[in-house]
Amino acid sequence: MREEEELALVLREDEQLGAIEGWSRIAKGYSGDRLYVGSCEGRQCLLRIYDGERQAAKQAEYEHLQHFATRGIRCPEPLKLAMTGDRQVGYMLATFIPGEDGETALSQLSTEAQYAAGLAAGSELRLLHQLAAPPEWPDWHEAKTAKHRRYVEQYRICGVRLPGDEAVLAYIERNLDAMRDRPNLFQHDDYHPGNLVFRDGAFAGVVDFGRWDWGDPVHEFLKVGMFTVETSIPFAIGQIRGYHDGREPDAAFWRLYALYMAMAVVSSVAWVVRFHPQETDEMLVRLGRVLDDHRGFELERPTWADIVF
């Protein structure tokens, strides 16, 4: 079904949405969801259309958004979740947070304002991490170790190798025990400037919860080292410190951070070759920078964390 056909189907079957004129398409992100913005009872709303087979996952996402919105966390407030009569298409209606994404906004801010926005974003992330996984959820250390082993197998046969990869793999093996007894908490799992909204030069909220997961909260900071530092190092440093009540984190944080970054270096190669081979060169440049940041993982605290501004 073409996008315009599925939008027409949703608007035809849902009287509330059908009464709204001027839905405009937003082309953004990797989620596969089709996004539209419209005016609902005097405020902007976001209509998210997705394939019906994803309804169970969207139900969980909707419930998490309800949980966070009622606790004052700056995220979209979910308003409706439904499916078309043929169950081929699902849709979610939520409030829309107006503003610019961080990738655009941060470049227009002073160094001090970028750092201040990072402090706010880190503090907000800490609030998301107050939600714990169900008690029956698999042990983090066991699940993450097994996932890493699968990625290593894929990496070794994917046909692309990174310089110094055996040293990186050895570093990971030496540090896997650091994940023992780590908490399983809510993860946005895509918390970077592209999914953060800014308004009037300040952090205004977080969007795009579709990749949520459970896991070690330190794992959430992968996106800082992979993506955020390419947009703003002051914001990245501020986010980490904001999460830790304005303080520099301890060595235990950096040990886990480096472990997860090293794992991500390996898994990212296998992932990009398999799913987005046309982006392999771009990914290798990024991973080369990560390796440099950690001196091939001789350093756990990355070099950019020492930048004075």
Side-chain angles (χ1 to χ4, degrees), residues 146-162:
K147 188 174 184 178
H148 170 66
R149 301 265 190 253
R150 293 193 296 271
Y151 270 124
V152 171
E153 292 176 2
Q154 294 170 26
Y155 172 76
R156 292 196 181 281
I157 63 173
C158 76
V160 177
R161 301 297 292 266
L162 292 165

Side-chain angles (χ1 to χ4, degrees), residues 20-295:
I20 299 170
E21 297 182 356
W23 289 106
S24 58
R25 179 77 160 90
I26 300 177
K28 188 176 184 294
Y30 280 92
S31 70
D33 295 351
R34 284 72 74 191
L35 308 179
Y36 301 87
V37 176
S39 181
C40 313
E41 299 179 354
R43 60 179 175 176
Q44 284 186 299
C45 292
L46 181 72
L47 176 62
R48 185 180 292 271
I49 299 178
Y50 49 87
D51 297 340
E53 62 191 22
R54 301 178 60 207
Q55 186 68 8
K58 287 299 181 181
Q59 178 69 42
E61 179 184 343
Y62 186 87
E63 292 171 0
H64 291 321
L65 284 171
Q66 284 182 316
H67 174 89
F68 294 132
T70 57
R71 284 158 177 78
I73 293 174
R74 290 176 282 183
C75 66
E77 177 187 352
L79 303 173
K80 176 181 286 189
L81 186 75
M83 299 187 74
T84 55
D86 60 10
R87 304 190 68 80
Q88 291 187 29
V89 174
Y91 56 97
M92 182 191 302
L93 183 69
T95 57
F96 179 76
I97 303 177
E100 294 182 300
D101 71 65
E103 291 177 351
T104 301
L106 284 166
S107 64
Q108 304 168 18
L109 301 180
S110 67
T111 298
E112 292 75 14
Q114 291 177 42
Y115 178 72
L119 289 173
S123 179
E124 200 79 1
L125 179 59
R126 186 68 177 260
L127 297 177
L128 294 179
H129 288 172
Q130 292 180 353
L131 180 61
E136 67 274 12
W137 201 257
D139 175 77
W140 169 253
H141 174 264
E142 293 179 4
K144 184 62 176 173
T145 299
K147 188 174 184 178
H148 170 66
R149 301 265 190 253
R150 293 193 296 271
Y151 270 124
V152 171
E153 292 176 2
Q154 294 170 26
Y155 172 76
R156 292 196 181 281
I157 63 173
C158 76
V160 177
R161 301 297 292 266
L162 292 165
D165 57 355
E166 293 300 335
V168 174
L169 290 167
Y171 169 81
I172 295 170
E173 288 297 322
R174 291 195 304 271
N175 287 278
L176 288 174
D177 279 354
M179 297 191 295
R180 291 191 184 279
D181 301 320
R182 293 297 299 165
N184 259 325
L185 305 180
F186 180 87
Q187 292 190 31
H188 178 279
D189 213 32
D190 209 16
Y191 201 88
H192 61 80
N195 287 329
L196 304 179
V197 180
F198 286 68
R199 190 166 57 251
D200 299 326
F203 172 78
V206 53
V207 297
D208 288 350
F209 282 70
R211 295 183 61 180
W212 75 273
D213 203 352
W214 303 110
D216 181 355
V218 177
H219 189 266
E220 189 90 82
F221 290 89
L222 272 181
K223 296 300 189 296
V224 171
M226 280 288 184
F227 302 107
T228 303
V229 294
E230 296 179 352
T231 300
S232 169
I233 289 176
F235 179 88
I237 294 173
Q239 181 184 324
I240 291 173
R241 292 178 182 171
Y243 186 88
H244 293 90
D245 297 321
R247 299 187 297 271
E248 175 71 13
D250 60 18
F253 169 88
W254 289 118
R255 183 188 180 197
L256 283 163
Y257 171 86
L259 172 61
Y260 296 142
M261 289 302 300
M263 288 176 157
V265 165
V266 176
S267 63
S268 294
V269 174
W271 179 85
V272 77
V273 170
R274 181 177 180 183
F275 295 107
H276 295 279
Q278 73 279 6
E279 299 178 9
T280 298
D281 290 345
E282 178 184 352
M283 178 64 78
L284 291 178
V285 170
R286 174 171 290 122
L287 299 180
R289 191 259 307 152
V290 171
L291 289 169
D292 289 343
D293 288 344
H294 290 271
R295 300 290 185 263

Side-chain angles (χ1 to χ4, degrees), residues 233 237 241 248 254 293 295 299-309:
I233 289 176
I237 294 173
R241 292 178 182 171
E248 175 71 13
W254 289 118
D293 288 344
R295 300 290 185 263
L299 299 178
E300 293 184 328
R301 190 171 182 270
T303 55
W304 52 258
D306 293 324
I307 293 176
V308 177
F309 51 88

